[in-house]
Amino acid sequence: MVHDLQNTIALLSRTPAALDALLSDLPESWTHCNEGGDTWTVYDIVGHLIYADREDWLPRARKILQFGETQPFDPFDRLGHVQASQGKSLPRLLDEFACVRCECLDELRALNLQPNQLAMRGRHPALGAVTLSELLATWAAHDLTHLHQISRIMAYQYCAVVGPFKAYLGVLQCAGHSL
Amino acid sequence: MVHDLQNTIALLSRTPAALDALLSDLPESWTHCNEGGDTWTVYDIVGHLIYADREDWLPRARKILQFGETQPFDPFDRLGHVQASQGKSLPRLLDEFACVRCECLDELRALNLQPNQLAMRGRHPALGAVTLSELLATWAAHDLTHLHQISRIMAYQYCAVVGPFKAYLGVLQCAGHSL
């Protein structure tokens, strides 16, 4: 299995429109409810995706290109989106996600990364050595892990009203929760 | 938890556009690969969603309204989509899904279902008695279980290229597979 950066960019470029089509103007009982306790809502996740585009993926890519393994990545604040989302509607966050993603992909394409650069290593504060290629592939897989989580959070709102059909719905048996 | 049919319709009406935004023209390495063995591809799932709209949800709803529990539902062919999809591109299937879903929702709205009708029971061949309300709620949750599956199948294609980041990606630990 070889990482093809064009496939990664193809997916990254589609996520904002897919989330917009699914979520914009959907009733808040789908988008503003969670899976209990301090778990996230769909609204939280959209804020997190914006925050990660701003603070995580490209800043870390730049650090690898500039410093290699000599400087570890800054730790990522998993609750950084809370303040940044405050007072904003979900449609506004979806628009913001489309903008920031577009800007990030413009910058990524402009870097015109070559195989030797994609093989460069950086230092993750917890995981140790990771390559630029792995970081960028994870950006796309991170979109997918949150699409997976969004569908699970939404299905959770219907776990009682589906009655006996629950047995047939894999999403209601999912234990693939992100750390 | 009470089932609000308008929330179900709101979700059902958005799924085709969300899948189209995510999948149309995406490289086939995302959409035509599976999770190994005889598991499904994303392409298979879109065909299945079309087939279920044609053969499963509204036909069963009509049967409940007409016969109640006296006639069990026809069994659903989980591989019925294979022949129906043959020779069709993914963009064509996505268009077909948008059309059939639109027709189904027009019919559902025209039924103007009242609470006493939603409480009517039918007979599922394996699960026994189910209400019309449970059947229609499951239609929406079924969209979500397949969105969940789509994100998992796509992430699976990247399970090696993300390297050590795999530990942080819940979607790659998901065991919530539909029966």
Side-chain angles (χ1 to χ4, degrees):
Chain A
M1 209 188 286
V2 175
H3 176 214
D4 180 336
L5 186 58
Q6 295 315 310
N7 286 349
T8 291
I9 292 174
L11 178 65
L12 288 171
S13 67
R14 282 159 176 81
T15 309
L19 292 185
D20 190 70
L22 182 67
L23 303 174
S24 195
D25 301 321
L26 202 60
E28 293 199 351
S29 53
W30 285 119
T31 56
H32 286 64
C33 294
N34 67 10
E35 296 174 282
D38 61 354
T39 61
W40 284 6
T41 64
V42 170
Y43 175 88
D44 290 326
I45 292 171
V46 177
H48 166 74
L49 289 169
I50 294 166
Y51 191 77
D53 268 24
R54 290 228 168 88
E55 303 293 336
D56 194 359
W57 307 109
L58 281 186
R60 289 180 170 191
R62 285 185 218 113
K63 199 154 210 172
I64 294 175
L65 291 169
Q66 194 170 358
F67 299 109
E69 288 190 77
T70 63
Q71 281 198 21
F73 304 150
D74 294 325
F76 178 72
D77 180 2
R78 287 189 70 261
L79 294 176
H81 62 277
V82 175
Q83 208 185 341
S85 298
Q86 220 150 32
K88 297 176 184 169
S89 68
L90 179 57
R92 168 146 175 217
L93 287 187
L94 289 163
D95 288 347
E96 201 172 316
F97 181 40
C99 286
V100 68
R101 177 58 57 91
C102 194
E103 289 165 10
C104 287
L105 292 180
D106 283 349
E107 180 178 340
L108 178 61
R109 289 189 193 94
L111 288 172
N112 189 26
L113 294 169
Q114 300 304 307
N116 64 315
Q117 293 173 297
L118 288 166
M120 285 178 71
R121 287 174 169 198
R123 181 150 299 275
H124 186 283
L127 298 171
V130 294
T131 67
L132 179 55
S133 171
E134 288 164 349
L135 177 77
L136 297 174
T138 303
W139 189 3
H142 179 262
D143 277 9
L144 293 170
T145 213
H146 286 297
L147 183 60
H148 185 255
Q149 184 183 15
I150 284 170
S151 59
R152 191 188 68 227
I153 296 168
M154 290 172 68
Y156 178 84
Q157 312 312 317
Y158 266 32
C159 64
V161 297
V162 298
F165 286 105
K166 183 175 176 181
Y168 286 178
L169 295 164
V171 66
L172 294 177
Q173 275 86 48
C174 171
H177 295 224
S178 291
L179 294 174
Chain B
M1 210 187 285
V2 175
H3 176 214
D4 181 335
L5 186 58
Q6 295 315 311
N7 286 349
T8 291
I9 292 174
L11 178 66
L12 288 170
S13 67
R14 281 159 176 81
T15 309
L19 292 185
D20 190 70
L22 183 68
L23 303 173
S24 194
D25 302 321
L26 202 61
E28 292 199 350
S29 54
W30 286 119
T31 57
H32 287 64
C33 294
N34 67 11
E35 296 173 283
D38 61 355
T39 61
W40 284 7
T41 65
V42 171
Y43 175 88
D44 291 327
I45 291 172
V46 177
H48 166 74
L49 289 170
I50 294 166
Y51 191 76
D53 267 25
R54 289 229 168 86
E55 304 293 336
D56 194 359
W57 307 108
L58 280 186
R60 289 180 170 191
R62 285 185 218 112
K63 199 156 211 171
I64 294 176
L65 291 168
Q66 195 171 357
F67 300 109
E69 287 189 78
T70 64
Q71 280 197 23
F73 304 149
D74 294 326
F76 178 72
D77 180 0
R78 286 190 69 261
L79 294 176
H81 62 277
V82 175
Q83 207 185 340
S85 298
Q86 220 148 32
K88 298 176 185 170
S89 68
L90 180 57
R92 168 147 173 215
L93 287 187
L94 289 163
D95 288 346
E96 201 172 317
F97 181 40
C99 286
V100 67
R101 176 58 57 90
C102 194
E103 289 165 12
C104 287
L105 292 181
D106 282 348
E107 180 178 340
L108 178 60
R109 288 189 194 96
L111 287 173
N112 189 26
L113 294 169
Q114 300 304 308
N116 63 315
Q117 292 172 299
L118 289 166
M120 286 179 71
R121 287 173 168 199
R123 181 151 298 276
H124 187 283
L127 298 172
V130 294
T131 66
L132 179 54
S133 171
E134 287 163 351
L135 178 77
L136 297 174
T138 302
W139 190 0
H142 180 262
D143 276 10
L144 292 170
T145 214
H146 287 298
L147 183 60
H148 185 254
Q149 184 183 16
I150 284 170
S151 59
R152 191 188 68 228
I153 296 167
M154 291 172 68
Y156 178 85
Q157 312 312 318
Y158 265 32
C159 65
V161 297
V162 297
F165 286 105
K166 183 175 176 181
Y168 287 177
L169 295 164
V171 66
L172 294 175
Q173 275 87 47
C174 173
H177 294 224
S178 291
L179 294 174

